[in-house]
């Protein structure tokens, strides 16, 4: 009788571990991003480089739903940030050309702060510019 060698590559844990690590999503972290700055009344957008929070956070969804209970999904959001100002060129007289934009200093997985973050599932890209959309009268 010949004995089979235990091959670790066929062990269920190894297969599960390999599959999970192969499709691992990037964690919540700072990334460099080009964002478009624009202001109503100014004719063009201006791209600037900044840091934003991006990546995935572990979330959970309870199997048993309890009525009137809140389930908070964590998102990748700012822990600390500051604001930079920029003067848009080509703004007509009477329009304040100054805009501010956030610069992330560090990130964490937490509840989405609607006053500083876009909490939607599908949002506009950071470099999207409303002035690029043709307006038909």
């Amino acid at each position: 009788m010949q004995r089979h060698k235990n091959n670790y590559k066929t062990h269920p844990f190894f297969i599960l571990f390999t599959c999970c690590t192969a499709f691992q999503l990037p964690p919540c972290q700072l990334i460099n991003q080009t964002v478009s700055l624009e202001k109503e009344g100014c004719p063009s957008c201006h791209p600037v480089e900044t840091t934003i929070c991006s990546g995935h956070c572990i979330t959970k969804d309870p199997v048993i739903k309890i009525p009137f209970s809140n389930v908070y999904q964590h998102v990748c959001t700012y822990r600390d940030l500051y604001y930079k100002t920029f003067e848009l060129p080509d703004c007509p007289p009477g329009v304040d050309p100054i805009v501010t934009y956030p610069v992330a200093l560090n990130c964490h997985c937490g509840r989405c702060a609607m006053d500083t973050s876009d909490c939607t599932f599908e949002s506009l890209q950071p470099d999207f510019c409303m002035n690029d959309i043709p307006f038909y009268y």
Side-chain angles (χ1 to χ4, degrees):
M1 183 164 143
Q2 191 177 34
R3 224 176 158 156
H4 291 285
K5 246 179 150 177
N6 187 4
N7 187 351
Y8 72 91
K9 291 183 179 180
T10 60
H11 191 276
F13 176 77
F14 180 82
I15 293 169
L16 179 64
F17 181 76
T18 304
C19 290
C20 292
T21 56
F23 298 106
Q24 191 174 21
L25 299 171
C28 179
Q29 61 190 344
L30 282 175
I31 63 165
N32 293 325
Q33 178 67 51
T34 300
V35 297
S36 288
L37 302 178
E38 62 184 324
K39 192 168 194 176
E40 190 173 336
C42 297
S44 61
C45 295
H46 190 80
V48 296
E49 281 289 318
T50 188
T51 52
I52 65 169
C53 296
S54 180
H56 296 272
C57 298
I58 296 174
T59 60
K60 58 185 174 183
D61 190 17
V63 175
I64 300 172
K65 308 284 190 219
I66 301 170
F68 307 110
S69 68
N70 293 330
V71 176
Y72 298 106
Q73 300 292 348
H74 286 188
V75 297
C76 184
T77 188
Y78 304 112
R79 177 169 299 199
D80 294 310
L81 63 98
Y82 71 96
Y83 289 90
K84 272 188 162 178
T85 59
F86 183 83
E87 186 174 342
L88 291 170
D90 304 327
C91 290
V95 176
D96 180 13
I98 304 297
V99 293
T100 60
Y101 62 95
V103 178
L105 298 173
N106 56 49
C107 307
H108 75 290
C109 291
R111 287 175 53 186
C112 189
M114 304 266 303
D115 55 338
T116 60
S117 300
D118 182 356
C119 303
T120 59
F121 176 71
E122 290 272 337
S123 62
L124 300 174
Q125 295 300 311
D127 59 350
F128 178 81
C129 181
M130 287 295 290
N131 289 336
D132 292 341
I133 299 174
F135 183 75
Y136 300 103
Y137 294 95

